[in-house]
Amino acid sequence: MKPTASTTGTVIHDVFRRAYERGDRPALVDLRGGHVYGYRRLVTEVTRAASGLVRRGARRDQVVGVHVSTAGAQTLATHTVLAAGGVAAPIDPALKPEEMAAWLRACDARTLITTPDLAETAIQAAEASRVRQVISLGPALDTIDFRTLLTLEPTALPALDAKRQDALVLAGGRLSHAGLLGRMAELDLPVRLAESDVVLATWLPDGGCDLLALVGLSVSKGALVVAAGGADLPGTSYDFSVTVVTGPGGTLERVR
């Protein structure tokens, strides 16, 4: 299933419009999560999972909490939500269950996507909110396995209005598709990413949008992201011939 023409001008269109033609080239190496996502695999899983989410009752503009611990999980979960017409609410994994439940209630989230290592906290928070289903990117007690979404009968994805559709709910307010694309463009200004670039990302998933914008920017440009999960592991830059690194304050720096 490919993104439809109705996604034109949205984050999904800008990030994945050339993903199929890039085939099995690696798009994201998630060192902490232990996964390598090729371009075709990434866009295929996003669109199939989005279809499954719609099958399970997701509706346009519905808020879905994203409570995950790795860059790969955040990328897959958030873009699945956006492709399904929803609004993703990134959640800081450091939040306590009661803090997380309060945020879910404030967002009026009805679905929550998490990872197995955070599932216990996610379940506790869901029980104290209006969340009706918790989906885990891997087996976890009392959750729906994300892989189940990939097996459901495909259905059409909703048309998206690029001019009015929100993409994210953040602590500071809502961010539209245009706003997230703007953050991607802002990150790109000092480095001008190209297909030959390898970006070392040491940022972790949190309640903000910088890591999402970075991965989205890199995929849209055909570059490779190596997500190191909080630290530049010894030898990583050399092993992957890194050309761009993340810096403090949500900035990128070209190193070669």
Side-chain angles (χ1 to χ4, degrees):
M1 177 183 291
K2 296 185 179 182
T4 64
S6 63
T7 65
T8 301
T10 64
V11 172
I12 290 296
H13 175 264
D14 276 49
V15 171
F16 293 117
R17 60 184 169 181
R18 295 188 59 193
Y20 280 99
E21 68 183 73
R22 288 171 176 149
D24 295 328
R25 280 180 48 203
L28 173 62
V29 177
D30 185 356
L31 296 179
R32 188 177 184 187
H35 296 285
V36 178
Y37 296 92
Y39 277 89
R40 184 183 291 113
R41 176 192 170 189
L42 187 57
V43 69
T44 298
E45 290 197 10
V46 162
T47 50
R48 286 177 59 190
S51 172
L53 204 57
V54 172
R55 281 285 183 196
R56 289 196 57 86
R59 295 293 177 263
R60 180 170 157 167
D61 294 327
Q62 199 169 71
V63 176
V64 178
V66 177
H67 175 243
V68 297
S69 56
T70 68
Q74 187 183 58
T75 300
L76 193 56
T78 300
H79 287 288
T80 292
V81 173
L82 298 186
V87 182
I91 299 170
D92 189 340
L95 290 183
K96 297 178 180 178
E98 58 271 20
E99 296 171 322
M100 186 173 159
W103 176 236
L104 290 169
R105 291 194 300 269
C107 296
D108 196 26
R110 304 306 175 88
T111 299
L112 178 61
I113 302 178
T114 191
T115 43
D117 56 318
L118 300 175
E120 184 177 353
T121 299
I123 292 295
Q124 292 177 36
E127 290 174 347
S129 70
R130 300 184 70 188
V131 167
R132 294 193 292 254
Q133 57 183 346
V134 179
I135 299 169
S136 176
L137 285 146
L141 187 65
D142 296 328
T143 68
I144 299 161
D145 195 321
F146 185 86
R147 291 174 296 183
T148 302
L149 302 179
L150 306 179
T151 65
L152 299 179
E153 184 70 22
T155 189
L157 298 179
L160 304 180
D161 185 342
K163 294 182 179 179
R164 61 162 293 276
Q165 191 93 14
D166 287 329
L168 303 176
V169 180
L170 306 172
R174 290 185 172 236
L175 190 67
S176 67
H177 279 256
L180 184 51
L181 290 172
R183 179 58 182 138
M184 288 164 53
E186 183 181 355
L187 281 173
D188 194 36
L189 280 175
V191 292
R192 299 297 183 187
L193 286 185
E195 286 195 357
S196 58
D197 279 317
V198 179
V199 182
L200 178 62
T202 56
W203 300 335
L204 288 169
D206 56 16
C209 70
D210 282 349
L211 181 57
L212 286 167
L214 168 62
V215 176
L217 167 65
S218 300
V219 173
S220 72
K221 297 289 187 178
L224 169 64
V225 179
V226 178
D232 182 357
L233 303 176
T236 303
S237 294
Y238 177 81
D239 290 343
F240 288 94
S241 300
V242 167
T243 60
V244 174
V245 297
T246 53
T251 59
L252 299 181
E253 178 186 353
R254 183 168 291 282
V255 293
R256 68 173 70 174

